[in-house]
Amino acid sequence: MPEISSRLRGWLRALDLDRFDLIVGAVVAALIAALAGVVLAGDQIGVYVAENGYGPAGSVNGSQPVRVRFSDDMAADSVEARFRIAPDITGDFSWTGQHTLIFTPRQPFAAGQTYTVTIEAGAQAARRDAALKDDLTWTFDVQLPRAAFLAPSDAYQRNVLMTDLQTGDTFQLTTAEHGVEDFAISPNGNQIAYSRYNPDGTVDLWLRDLLNNADRQLTQCIDALCHAPAWKPDGTQIAYQREEFNTGLDMGLSPSRVWVVDVATLDTRLLFADSQILGTEPTWSPDGRRIAVFDATVSGIRVHDYEANTDAVIETAQGVVGQFSPDGRRLVYPVLARGLIGQQFYTHLEMADLDTLSRRSISGGDDTPVEDSGAVWSPDGSRLAVARRYLDGRYTNGKQIYLLDPDTGEAEPLVVDPAYNHSAMRWDASGRRIVFQRFSLGGPGARPEIWTVDVKTGAMEQVADNAFLPAWVP
């Protein structure tokens, strides 16, 4: 034993280690051992989500995506397969890195609804044998939607503004120095496509991101007007009208054609391969299967079916496309009717079944004394809000808002005030409210106003004065 100790002392002297070196070595060895213990026990700790690592929570607007931040990089398929939301709503998954899941609904969350989100236990980590041990569940409530509109109506330098119905506060969303022509809210409510005037009088499409308040230009419409944006339901493309100035060609403004821009790549193309096909008012069906435009060359509504790769034409001289039903299988549009009262002409509404191409009037026969326009479907497809004026003893100078059953033709008055003309109705995602534009017929100096009406109670509230073209922002 003395001989072994002597040898050890000799070996240490050969390494020239003093006492401090020995202490440091011991500490390093202890740390290595502790780290190894943590690694060996890691599978027992499991994946977790911090208390503030998920959202939205509480009372939120309907356009916010769901986010969950995990402690580990995750196996995406494993997490997405265990994602649940009730009431169920269709949406798309994306990831920030491999640790943050984002679920973006394709349609806004419904105002007044409480949603429950669950990530079920068993979601797997990507880089170690660990999983979420317990279900993660939370709820959030959706606030009233917000109303967007163009203002002021009596100036060319108008912009998109938005009023919060919860607080009454109004915010300016766009800052176009030379004004905005029109706009459209994205299907998920997070973006606004708007037509912005350039200093030389041309018009380009721009995009406003409501989550980060950023703007970017979508088109380069040199010597042209690009406007009337219409979102594809999946949010990937925007159809729009384009008219060429033809400067220097002594031929004036060319007829409108419909173009499409890819929101991600900014690639643009004509909607129809045949450049001779004209088009205005591009309108997508809610399922994205069809797109409709008014084509003056055939004096009707041209409906392109992407699934069948066919075009159908619905003859009408009104120059208005109308609106698809929520299931995308029907189209309601105005037509010119010749009544028996003084042989006068007025507009009725027709509905086309796009599977059979059959058509029928939903305003009644030609002699029905009503003038209907501006029909918009309720989100559940059970009824239409229409701007109607009776031409008999119920006559009013302006059109009033009625709820019309498309199957029976029965109409229920919703907003009737003979002192006003009503138009530009839009349902909110819940089907509870309609935002609309009204205009006083009482005298000079009147300006359009924006109002909302509760469909169940009939309660009305003014949103803005000197404003027009309302839309909902969830």
Side-chain angles (χ1 to χ4, degrees), residues 287-429:
D287 59 1
R289 173 179 170 176
R290 298 178 171 98
I291 188 170
V293 303
F294 186 83
D295 184 351
T297 60
V298 295
S299 191
I301 304 165
R302 183 185 293 272
V303 183
H304 179 72
D305 187 323
Y306 284 95
E307 186 174 296
N309 194 28
T310 58
D311 287 0
V313 175
I314 302 169
E315 295 180 1
T316 170
Q318 291 303 102
V320 178
V321 168
Q323 193 182 56
F324 286 98
S325 60
D327 62 8
R329 299 177 62 182
R330 294 168 291 171
L331 185 72
V332 169
Y333 51 91
V335 295
L336 195 64
R338 182 172 183 173
L340 300 179
I341 303 174
Q343 297 298 305
Q344 68 188 90
F345 289 90
Y346 38 83
T347 55
H348 276 182
L349 294 174
E350 273 192 356
M351 182 167 65
D353 184 311
L354 299 175
D355 293 329
T356 64
L357 296 182
S358 59
R359 303 165 58 174
R360 66 180 178 87
S361 173
I362 59 175
S363 294
D366 283 350
D367 59 344
T368 304
V370 298
E371 189 172 56
D372 286 339
S373 63
V376 287
W377 290 89
S378 62
D380 63 2
S382 65
R383 50 189 172 173
L384 292 149
V386 302
R388 165 170 286 192
R389 179 172 61 180
Y390 282 96
L391 303 174
D392 54 15
R394 296 164 287 182
Y395 177 83
T396 56
N397 284 330
K399 291 184 178 179
Q400 313 302 317
I401 302 177
Y402 286 80
L403 299 180
L404 180 68
D405 186 317
D407 296 321
T408 67
E410 294 182 1
E412 172 191 350
L414 180 63
V415 179
V416 177
D417 188 337
Y420 287 87
N421 183 70
H422 302 83
S423 61
M425 298 89 68
R426 296 288 184 272
W427 293 82
D428 75 348

Side-chain angles (χ1 to χ4, degrees), residues 23-35:
I23 294 173
V24 170
V27 169
V28 170
L31 289 174
I32 292 173
L35 181 60

Side-chain angles (χ1 to χ4, degrees), residues 31 33 47 72-73 82 103 165 178 258 298 334 354 371 400-401 426 430 459:
L31 289 174
V47 173
D72 290 54
D73 286 351
R82 291 169 173 78
F103 172 80
L165 300 187
H178 301 282
V258 174
V298 295
L354 299 175
E371 189 172 56
Q400 313 302 317
I401 302 177
R426 296 288 184 272
S430 70

Side-chain angles (χ1 to χ4, degrees), residues 169-184:
D169 295 333
T170 297
F171 310 90
Q172 183 170 322
L173 298 180
T174 63
T175 55
E177 180 181 357
H178 301 282
V180 171
E181 172 68 15
D182 47 28
F183 69 97

Side-chain angles (χ1 to χ4, degrees), residues 24-52:
V24 170
V27 169
V28 170
L31 289 174
I32 292 173
L35 181 60
V38 169
V39 171
L40 291 174
D43 295 346
Q44 304 301 317
I45 296 173
V47 173
Y48 64 90
V49 176
E51 184 176 351
N52 61 349

Side-chain angles (χ1 to χ4, degrees), residues 146-149 160-164 169-173 210 473:
R146 298 158 290 177
F149 45 86
V160 183
L161 281 71
M162 180 176 70
T163 294
D164 187 325
D169 295 333
T170 297
F171 310 90
Q172 183 170 322
L173 298 180
L210 298 180
V473 180

